[in-house]
Amino acid sequence: MSPEEFREHGKRVIDWIADYLAGIESHPVRSQLKPGQVRAALPPSPPERGEPFDNVLADLDRVLLPGVTHWQHPNFFAYFPANASGPAILGDLLSAGLGVQGMLWATSPACTELETVVVDWLAELLGLPEQWRTDARGGGVIEDSASSGSLAALLAALHRAGRGDRNTVYVSSQTHSSLEKAAKIAGISAEGVRAVDVDPATLAMRPEHLEALLAQDSADGATPSMVCATIGTTSTTAIDPVRRIGEICREFGVWLHVDAAYAGVAAVCDELRWINDGVAEYADSYVTDPHKWLLTNFDCTVLWVADRAPLIEALSVVPEYLRNAASETGEVIDYRDWQIPLGRRFRALKLWAVLRWYGAAGLREHIRDGVALAAEFAAMVRADEEFTLLPHHPFGLVCFRPLWRGLSDDVADEATGAMLQRLNDSGDLYLSHTRVGGRMLLRMAIGAPLTGRDHVHAAWRRILAEHRELRAELTAASRMCR
Ligand SMILES: *Cc1c(COP(=O)(O)O)cnc(C)c1O
């Protein structure tokens, strides 16, 4: 593709993206395709001769788009948001254009140094400790996902603790599954992953139980290696008591990892800084995902460590072919030593573009909009006597369910599931679900950049209508049974 051809097709691609985002509401939120439909519409073998780029765009419209679930749709309320934004898309495109592989400082100094600048900037924006800045003992690094960031943190923690016969890791039933997976990858046995109880009302980790498990395991000769506390759990955005957990970790000399993948970025707002209480004093590592709620296209996770030495010692391997003068001086950072893979994309560009385009004020406004809309939605659910909701946390997620009075718990949960399926099949909106105390709950996660007040109110009306209809059907069916 010559530069002239690239220019021509590139302009068309940018137009395509702009049109797509401008017209996104014309699509059903969740793809309506059945398994195998996309594959069946594509040739089984690659072309022998090159084709015009227009053919790719035509198939994008014809074959792929129906198989796309529209995460940027304003009625996408499932999982957590995966924000995209103009500056992030353009930053990512520039990264693709440069085609840099930034494994070492020497393989592209700007890739490394810009990353250092943006992770330090973000630490400042989130009010994270000075000690985590790269010019102090700590430092941040951009990883592909919180899962990888937590795995890297676990390897650092195991390095510091020393490998014993029995390394143990402490999570709760609400901890993200990536921690269990990280333990598996790190060769920790299933019994070595210790489940700390949660408070049944708040779903937050119970520090007394953590303390008891640590005392017991230490006495039994295990090597407690890492505790993971979560700020904003995936299921319900519960918040573990980080300060108290940190005091216990200090007492036992155990690494404290804080998983704030979704909620951590909310700390750009002063009024939400309290979520990080205890982090500065006690956390050894911390992850948050600008690729969820901070307007930065996937993938972009930031992992910070309070002390970078154990991370680098755990992950640094230097083969002859990567030796270079800059690395030998020790004056530069080689981020390959801070992550699992060797190679790395120039991800800092998109985060830099986002931070510059929106500024701190713009980021705060985005988070505040989501928080306010979620609070408004929670208030509507609370006011309806046919519904109940979990205690609402100050982020973008509301967990709720219809009460289905008169139905047994099992039948009620089936009805909630049926209602969810109908809503999602309709393509009008997309919600996900969770289970708490055995009961099925709907998750309404607000935070897509295009979601406004009208979308949230329309979603609630749509949910009410589906509930009314299903309720009527259930009543008719139970009359027939009698
Ligand atoms: C989403 C989430 C993760 C996983 O994040 P990825 O970046 O997709 O790996 C981990 N922990 C929590 C609390 C999350 O919400």
Side-chain angles (χ1 to χ4, degrees), residues 218-271:
S218 305
D220 288 352
T223 309
S225 305
M226 185 170 97
V227 174
C228 176
T230 307
I231 297 173
T233 59
T234 312
S235 170
T236 66
T237 62
I239 302 172
D240 289 337
V242 172
R243 178 173 293 281
R244 186 67 199 108
I245 290 170
E247 287 164 1
I248 296 166
C249 287
R250 179 91 20 111
E251 183 189 330
F252 285 87
V254 183
W255 185 288
L256 174 61
H257 177 61
V258 174
D259 178 0
Y262 161 68
V265 299
V268 290
C269 302
D270 286 338
E271 70 276 20

Side-chain angles (χ1 to χ4, degrees), residues 79 209 250 311 452:
Y79 310 106
H209 189 227
R250 179 91 20 111
L311 179 65

